[in-house]
Amino acid sequence: MMHVWLSGIEGLLQLKELTFLALGMIIGLIFGAIPGIGGSTALALLMPLTYGLEPFTALALSGGVMGAVPMGGSITAILLNAPGTAPNAATCLDGYPLAQQGKAGLAIGAAASANSLGGIIGTISVLAVLPIAKELVLLFGPPEFFLLAILGLVVVATTSRGKMLRGLVTGGFGLMVAFIGYNDVVGDVRFTYGIEYLWDGVHLVPALIGLFAVAEMMNLMVKGGPVAKDAGTVKVTRMMSGVIETFRHPGTVLRGSIVGTVVGAIPGVGGVVASFLSYSLTVQASKDQESFGKGNIKGVIAPEAAINAKDGSALIPTLAFGIPGSAEMAVFLGILVLHGLQPGPLMLVQNQTEIYGLVWALTASCILASCIGLVLVRPLAMITLIESEVLAPVVICIALIGSYAIDGQIGNVVVSAVFGVLGCLMLRFDYPRLTVVVALVLGGMAERNFHQSMIMGDGSWLIFATRWVSGILLASIIILLGSPVLRALIRRIRKQTVVAAGAP
Amino acid sequence: MPNMHRRSLLVSLGLAGAAMAMKRPVFAATNFPAKDIAFIIPDGPGGGFDSYVRAIAPAMEKYLPHKATIVPTNVPGAGGARAATEIYRAKPDGYTIGIFNVPGIYIQQERHHTGFDVAKFSWLGRVGVNQYGLAVGEKSPIKSVSDLKALSKQRPVKFTSTGPAGTAYNATLIAAHLLGIRAQLITGYRGSREYVMAAVRGDGDAVVTVIPTLRRMAAGDTLRILATFEQHSSVPGAADATALGAPELSQISLQRLVAAPPGLPADIKAALATALSKALADSAVVAWAKKVDADVAPETPDQAAATLHDQIAFYTKWKPYLKTSN
Amino acid sequence: MKRLFGAPVTGYLPALVLALLTAGYLATAYGYSPDSRIMPVLVAWSMLVLLALDLASRTCTRLGQALTHWLNPAAARDEDGPRYPASQQVAAVLWLAGFATALLLIGVLYAVPLYIFASLLLRGRRSPLFSLVAAGGVTLIVWLLFALVLRLQLYPGLLFGGG
C-alpha cells in the first residue's frame, strides 16, 4: 500500500505536473472567490485545454483547481459576506462579523490553517478508506439517505436554541421552496405556476448569493460606513494569531474534518451540508452558544475544516461508481472520461497510481492556496475599509452577474434579487438564515428518498428500523431531539446527588 | 497536439473578442464558417453527451471548409427541453447545432408540450446508438430471465429507474411488458449510474439500462447481466432478444442524434454533416471511443431523420402502456 | 407605532404574510395527486402551526412570554437593536429591483455601467468623473471575466432580443 501511495507522490514531483498544479491552484483561487462561479466552472473551462495532456497531468491540474477553490471562497465570505462557493456560506456566519469587528486578518488566517488541516485529515481518511470504498458506498440506500436528511434538518433546527421557533419557521419555508419544480418520483411539476424557469426548481447557488451577499450589501447601504467599524483594528492584521487559533481548538478541527469526510463521501449530499452540519455541531458542543453568529473564531474553523476534508472524500463515490458527489465532481468525471479513465469498480483496482496522485495533488494545492491566502491577507483586509456606497453596488453587481453566469439563465438574477430582499427582511426581523439553506438542500433529497423507501418496503415504515445503518441514524435523531430533556434530567440527578452527599 | 490546441485557444479568444466588438455581417454559405459554432449539450459538463461532444468537436473542426472553432456549450435544464428550445429558436445559419437524446427529447415534448417540434429540426447525422439490457446485482438469487418471470407471478418485480420522463423508465416498462413480467418501478434516481448502483445495492430486484454501463459494472463483478435486447447478444452468457422470443426488444434504443435549427440551407447542412461524419472516422475519436467503450455509429442526415421517425412511431405505439405506472 | 396585544404591529407582519403564502401553497398542493402532495401538505400544515406560535410569541401576554422563554429566548434579548428608517430600507430594495429590471430589459453590458454610475452619483454622492470611471472599470472587469475568459454570452436584454 505504501508503495502505491509513494508512486502517486512520485508522479506528481515532475516539473510539468507541478506547473499545472500551480496553474490550477491560481485559477481555483480566483474562481472560488467570485460568487456563482466555482470549481465546476473552472474545470469546465479547462477541459478543452486538458485534451492534449497526459492523464496524470490533467489530474494534477484538476487537483490544483479543486484544492484551491474553498480558500478563494472563504476570503470573499469573510470580507463581504458573499460566499464564493455554496459551502462557504457557513463561513459567513462568524467570519463576516469578525471582519466587521476589524478582525478580517484573524479570520482569514484561521480559515487558511483550518483549510490545510482539514485537507490533510481528509486526505489521510480517504487513503485509509479507499480500499473498502465500494462496500461503504453500498451501505447507504434510500432509507439511510432519508434519515440522513432528517438528521441534518434536526441538527440545524435544534442548533440555535435561542432562536429555535423562528429557525423552524425559516426551515419550513426552505422546505416549501425546495418542493418547487419537477418531481422526479411521480413525474409531475409542482408550484411553478407556469413559469418555465422554475421547472428545475429554485437553484441553490443563486438563492445563497441573494440571501448572503446581496442581503448583506443592501443592509450595509442602509447602515452606512465601511464593513469594518474600526480602521485601527484592521491595520493590525493578526494573521499569525489567526493561524495559531486553529491549533488551539483541535477538537473543533477534528470534528469539522470528520464531519466533512463522512458527509463528503455520501453521493449527492454535497459540501453545503458538510459545512453547515459541522458548524451546527460545533455550536451545540459549545458552552458558549450565544457567542456564535457574532464572531466566534470556532465558527470559522469548523466549516472550513469540513469543506476541505470533504473534497478528498467526495472522490470516493465519484471514482468507485462514477456517481459525482457534487457539481464539481461531475465535471471532473467528464475530464476523466475524456482521458479514457472510466470511473467504476475497475478503476479503483487498475488506476491506483493516478488516484493517489490526484489525492496528493488536492492536498498540496489546498496547502499552497492557504499560504497564498495568507500572503494576501493585508491587502485583502483593506477591502473592509472601503465605504459602503462604493463597495455595495460593485459587490451586488458582480454577485448578480456571477449568479447569471452559473448556467446562463437570467432567471437566476431574479432569484438572487428576491432572496436578497428576503435575506434583508430576515435580518431586520431576526429570523435565522441557516435553516433555510439546509432545508433547500435537504428538502428534495428527503422527499425523493422517502418515496423510494416506501416503494422498497411496500409501504411499510419498518424499513427504517430493520436496516442497521438506518437504525443507527434513527437512534441518533431521537437522541438529538431528546437531548435538551436528557440534559435537564442529568442536571437534576446531579443536583440531587450533591445535595444527598452534602447532607450530614 | 497541446501546442496546436493552445494556439487555437488563443485564436478563438481573439475571434470571440473581435466578434463581440464588431458585429460583422455573416456572408452566405460560401464563406461558412466565418466565426465560432456553438455545439449545444443538453446536460451539464461531465455527463455522457458532454463527453461525446468534447471528444468530437476538436476533430470536427479539422473537416470544416474554413477554419473555425466549435465551442461545446452546456445548456442544462428541463430534461433537455431547454437546450432543444434554444436550438429550435436559433437562427438557421449553421452557427448553432446540438446533440439530442432520442427518444428522450420526444418523450419530453409529449409529456410537457414544450416550445419545439422534434420533427422539424434539420437533422445532420448520428453520433452513436446504444441498446439496452437487463441485469441484477451480483448477490441476487436470480440467475436468468425465467427466474424473473417466476418471481413476477408471486409479486411485482421491482426495477430501479429514473423519473417517468426519462428514457430508462420507458425502456423498462416496454421491456417488462414484452417479456411478460409484472413490473413496479422505484423511480426518482438521478441518472443511470445511480439507479444501476441501486440495483447492485439491492434496492430493487433488477435494472434495465444501456449495455456499455452494464458491461462496465459487470467487469467490476458487481452486476450480473441476464440479457441484452440485441438481436444477437454481444455479452457472452447473456440471452438476447431472439432467444427470449421478443425481437421487438431490439427497437428499444438510445440514439445520439445531431441537429440544427429548422430551415437550414442545404449547402450549410452538407458542410456540417460531412464534417461530422469525417470526425467520427477520425483516428483520435476512434481511439477515444475504444478506450471508454463509447459507441460510434454514424448515419447520414436522411438516415438520422428516418431513425427519428422510427423512434417516434415506436413510442407512439407504446404510449397507452406507458401512462400506467406505480 | 400602533400596538396590538402590547407589541408593535410591524412585528406581526412577517408571520402574517408567510401564513398567507402558506395558505395559498396549501391550496395549490391539494390540487396534486396524493403521492405528489404528501410532503408539501405535511410541511405546509406544520408551518401554519409554527406561524401561529410565532404570532403568539410576539404578543406581550402571559402565553406569548412563556412561548418566547421556552422556544425563542434570544428574541427577548435582541429587541432593542438599532432601528433604521424604513424609507432607507425601501430605497435599498428599489435600487436592487431597478438593477435587476435593467439587467432583464437592456442586458448586462448596458445595465452594469448604468447602475454603477447612478448608484455612485446619486446614492454615494461621488463626483461624476469618479462615478464614470468606476462604472467603466467594473464593466470592463465583467466583460473580461465573463465574456472573454468564460465565453459566456452576456444577456442582451429582452428589448434587444434575449428570450
Side-chain angles (χ1 to χ4, degrees):
Chain A
M1 167 109 86
M2 273 302 277
H3 158 71
V4 198
W5 286 22
L6 287 175
S7 68
I9 304 182
E10 226 187 294
L12 209 51
L13 289 175
Q14 316 279 339
L15 188 62
K16 189 158 152 226
E17 272 71 24
L18 285 177
T19 318
F20 276 95
L21 179 73
L23 179 69
M25 184 198 68
I26 294 176
I27 294 179
L29 208 53
I30 298 175
F31 276 62
I34 302 172
I37 55 182
S40 45
T41 322
L43 284 177
L45 183 72
L46 291 170
M47 240 209 266
L49 256 181
T50 67
Y51 192 62
L53 297 174
E54 302 255 318
F56 204 86
T57 322
L59 286 177
L61 182 66
S62 311
V65 171
M66 295 193 286
V69 162
M71 184 69 219
S74 52
I75 292 178
T76 33
I78 292 169
L79 291 174
L80 301 168
N81 207 60
T85 65
N88 291 113
T91 317
C92 293
L93 298 170
D94 274 280
Y96 184 66
L98 279 170
Q100 286 180 307
Q101 294 162 20
K103 296 187 192 153
L106 183 77
I108 297 181
S113 48
N115 259 320
S116 303
L117 275 182
I120 295 175
I121 298 178
T123 303
I124 298 177
S125 326
V126 170
L127 289 174
V129 159
L130 214 48
I132 49 167
K134 223 169 75 178
E135 285 73 21
L136 270 184
V137 178
L138 286 176
L139 278 178
F140 283 81
E144 286 74 29
F145 283 121
F146 171 69
L147 288 174
L148 262 172
I150 302 293
L151 183 64
L153 288 167
V154 167
V155 167
V156 175
T158 56
T159 264
S160 39
R161 270 190 324 175
K163 297 189 193 160
M164 198 173 81
L165 178 60
R166 298 199 196 159
L168 286 173
V169 167
T170 47
F173 173 70
L175 283 178
M176 283 167 56
V177 174
F179 294 141
I180 297 176
Y182 177 68
N183 176 8
D184 222 7
V185 180
V186 178
D188 63 354
V189 185
R190 298 179 301 189
F191 305 115
T192 59
Y193 300 106
I195 304 175
E196 216 180 285
Y197 167 77
L198 290 175
W199 204 91
D200 282 316
V202 172
H203 302 200
L204 176 69
V205 181
L208 273 183
I209 291 178
L211 269 180
F212 287 89
V214 178
E216 189 51 51
M217 286 297 126
M218 283 169 68
N219 210 29
L220 202 62
M221 282 296 296
V222 172
K223 277 203 292 197
V227 170
K229 302 201 182 65
D230 179 5
T233 5
V234 177
K235 299 228 162 68
V236 179
T237 48
R238 294 182 224 210
M239 173 190 82
M240 279 322 288
S241 46
V243 173
I244 297 172
E245 272 300 315
T246 306
F247 292 94
R248 294 212 295 156
H249 299 283
T252 311
V253 176
L254 210 59
R255 188 182 306 120
S257 308
I258 293 179
V259 170
T261 311
V262 171
V263 174
I266 304 167
V269 177
V272 182
V273 178
S275 61
F276 275 94
L277 206 60
S278 162
Y279 180 85
S280 304
L281 287 172
T282 303
V283 172
Q284 286 213 344
S286 155
K287 298 191 180 66
D288 188 14
Q289 292 199 5
E290 293 293 308
S291 66
F292 281 91
K294 304 201 178 83
N296 186 329
I297 195 70
K298 289 202 282 191
V300 172
I301 298 174
E304 287 296 315
I307 295 173
N308 276 71
K310 79 124 181 45
D311 272 333
S313 63
L315 283 175
I316 297 179
T318 311
L319 295 176
F321 288 101
I323 298 186
S326 62
E328 209 178 63
M329 281 296 143
V331 184
F332 176 63
L333 254 181
I335 295 181
L336 286 176
V337 175
L338 197 63
H339 287 270
L341 293 165
Q342 207 31 293
L346 272 183
M347 185 177 182
L348 289 179
V349 173
Q350 287 175 340
N351 298 105
Q352 293 210 346
T353 319
E354 278 89 353
I355 294 179
Y356 288 115
L358 173 66
V359 175
W360 290 119
L362 261 177
T363 321
S365 165
C366 157
I367 299 177
L368 276 171
S370 302
C371 295
I372 296 201
L374 290 175
V375 165
L376 295 174
V377 162
R378 176 155 296 185
L380 287 174
M382 292 297 151
I383 294 182
T384 56
L385 291 176
I386 301 179
E387 285 290 326
S388 67
E389 298 111 11
V390 178
L391 188 65
V394 175
V395 174
I396 290 181
C397 181
I398 306 242
L400 286 184
I401 311 285
S403 176
Y404 166 70
I406 298 170
D407 54 9
Q409 297 201 65
I410 200 67
N412 294 347
V413 171
V414 177
V415 170
S416 289
V418 169
F419 273 83
V421 176
L422 276 172
C424 247
L425 288 171
M426 287 166 88
L427 283 170
R428 161 90 170 73
F429 290 106
D430 198 28
Y431 282 84
R433 291 174 289 181
L434 180 66
T435 32
V436 182
V437 178
V438 178
L440 266 177
V441 177
L442 293 178
M445 182 172 130
E447 190 188 23
R448 191 175 57 242
N449 285 288
F450 177 73
H451 280 290
Q452 289 172 333
S453 305
M454 284 294 105
I455 303 177
M456 278 169 65
D458 295 311
S460 146
W461 286 66
L462 281 177
I463 192 167
F464 295 115
T466 48
R467 293 155 66 112
W468 64 272
V469 182
S470 24
I472 295 179
L473 290 169
L474 197 57
S476 317
I477 294 175
I478 296 175
I479 293 177
L480 259 174
L481 279 174
S483 74
V485 178
L486 269 173
R487 248 183 271 180
L489 267 173
I490 295 177
R491 251 183 276 140
R492 179 118 39 107
I493 297 177
R494 249 197 231 141
K495 262 200 230 154
Q496 288 182 336
T497 340
V498 169
V499 169
Chain B
M1 190 63 112
N3 282 328
M4 202 173 93
H5 216 76
R6 236 157 276 162
R7 226 186 298 143
S8 69
L9 181 66
L10 282 170
V11 167
S12 62
L13 277 179
L15 271 177
M20 270 218 62
M22 30 174 200
K23 299 205 175 126
R24 288 184 297 182
V26 177
F27 294 104
T30 47
N31 237 26
F32 178 81
K35 57 173 182 156
D36 287 355
I37 300 175
F39 201 147
I40 295 191
I41 308 162
D43 211 353
F49 285 87
D50 185 75
S51 307
Y52 266 96
V53 172
R54 287 181 193 272
I56 295 171
M60 210 171 142
E61 287 171 2
K62 290 197 285 195
Y63 302 107
L64 291 169
H66 297 274
K67 203 157 172 26
T69 317
I70 299 186
V71 183
T73 312
N74 298 92
V75 182
R82 207 181 135 221
T85 314
E86 194 168 308
I87 300 170
Y88 196 73
R89 293 189 194 153
K91 272 205 295 199
D93 54 8
Y95 292 104
T96 311
I97 58 177
I99 190 168
F100 291 81
N101 169 342
V102 172
I105 197 62
Y106 174 68
I107 296 173
Q108 276 297 347
Q109 180 184 310
E110 289 300 288
R111 281 187 72 91
H112 298 286
H113 312 287
T114 37
F116 57 86
D117 182 356
V118 282
K120 296 212 178 102
F121 283 104
S122 311
W123 295 98
L124 296 171
R126 182 173 74 180
V127 166
V129 60
N130 288 123
Q131 290 194 280
Y132 284 75
L134 173 68
V136 296
E138 241 284 313
K139 305 202 183 90
S140 166
I142 298 172
K143 300 278 194 285
S144 70
V145 180
S146 0
D147 287 348
L148 262 182
K149 288 191 194 177
L151 179 63
S152 143
K153 293 199 173 60
Q154 298 174 358
R155 62 163 174 85
V157 173
K158 298 201 183 116
F159 288 88
T160 53
S161 187
T162 52
T167 345
Y169 179 93
N170 295 283
T172 310
L173 280 179
I174 297 176
H177 202 93
L178 282 170
L179 288 170
I181 298 176
R182 264 193 316 155
Q184 192 188 17
L185 266 59
I186 309 179
T187 50
Y189 293 97
R190 294 171 300 179
S192 61
R193 294 184 180 119
E194 248 198 52
Y195 66 74
V196 172
M197 196 175 91
V200 170
R201 190 170 50 216
D203 291 356
D205 304 305
V207 66
V208 168
T209 190
V210 290
I211 295 174
T213 311
L214 290 178
R215 268 206 287 258
R216 199 174 328 137
M217 298 298 262
D221 286 329
T222 47
L223 215 58
R224 181 183 314 132
I225 304 181
L226 297 183
T228 72
F229 298 161
E230 302 159 310
Q231 303 270 13
H232 298 286
S233 171
S234 59
V235 175
D240 51 42
T242 332
L244 292 169
E248 213 179 332
L249 283 171
S250 58
Q251 286 198 291
I252 307 174
S253 60
L254 176 74
Q255 311 271 351
R256 300 176 205 262
L257 303 181
V258 177
L264 192 69
D267 39 7
I268 299 186
K269 185 170 167 182
L272 286 169
T274 318
L276 180 65
S277 61
K278 288 212 184 123
L280 292 171
D282 185 274
S283 52
V285 173
V286 171
W288 169 82
K290 198 151 161 233
K291 252 208 298 191
V292 300
D293 194 17
D295 179 272
V296 171
E299 275 188 336
T300 67
D302 291 332
Q303 285 173 329
T307 305
L308 173 75
H309 284 100
D310 283 342
Q311 287 287 302
I312 292 181
F314 183 64
Y315 276 85
T316 312
K317 182 182 113 173
W318 281 97
K319 213 159 146 181
Y321 299 93
L322 296 175
K323 287 292 184 190
T324 59
S325 57
N326 295 337
Chain C
M1 176 62 53
K2 277 223 236 137
R3 297 184 95 89
L4 190 66
F5 294 111
V9 172
T10 46
Y12 298 112
L13 280 178
L16 279 173
V17 172
L18 254 181
L20 239 87
L21 283 171
T22 310
Y25 188 87
L26 198 57
T28 320
Y30 273 113
Y32 299 130
S33 72
D35 259 339
S36 191
R37 68 172 181 239
I38 298 179
M39 289 259 164
V41 163
L42 192 66
V43 171
W45 278 115
S46 314
M47 270 295 273
L48 288 175
V49 170
L50 286 169
L51 286 167
L53 287 174
D54 189 10
L55 280 168
S57 77
R58 287 178 186 267
T59 65
C60 289
T61 60
R62 280 258 300 271
L63 172 68
Q65 283 173 340
L67 280 172
T68 312
H69 175 75
W70 285 105
L71 295 177
N72 218 72
R77 280 164 281 202
D78 290 340
E79 276 311 334
D80 309 307
R83 284 271 172 268
Y84 300 105
S87 59
Q88 277 196 10
Q89 293 176 328
V90 171
V93 173
L94 286 176
W95 273 98
L96 178 70
F99 180 42
T101 317
L103 277 173
L104 275 165
L105 289 178
I106 56 178
V108 175
L109 279 177
Y110 293 119
V112 167
L114 188 65
Y115 171 69
I116 303 279
F117 180 71
S119 230
L120 289 177
L121 187 66
L122 298 173
R123 268 203 304 184
R125 267 163 272 173
R126 294 288 196 279
S127 73
L129 182 64
F130 179 84
S131 312
L132 206 62
V133 170
V138 173
T139 315
L140 186 67
I141 295 177
V142 166
W143 183 76
L144 271 174
L145 181 62
F146 295 103
L148 209 53
V149 175
L150 287 181
R151 287 200 194 156
L152 185 71
Q153 232 229 356
L154 290 181
Y155 190 68
L158 282 173
L159 294 181
F160 298 133

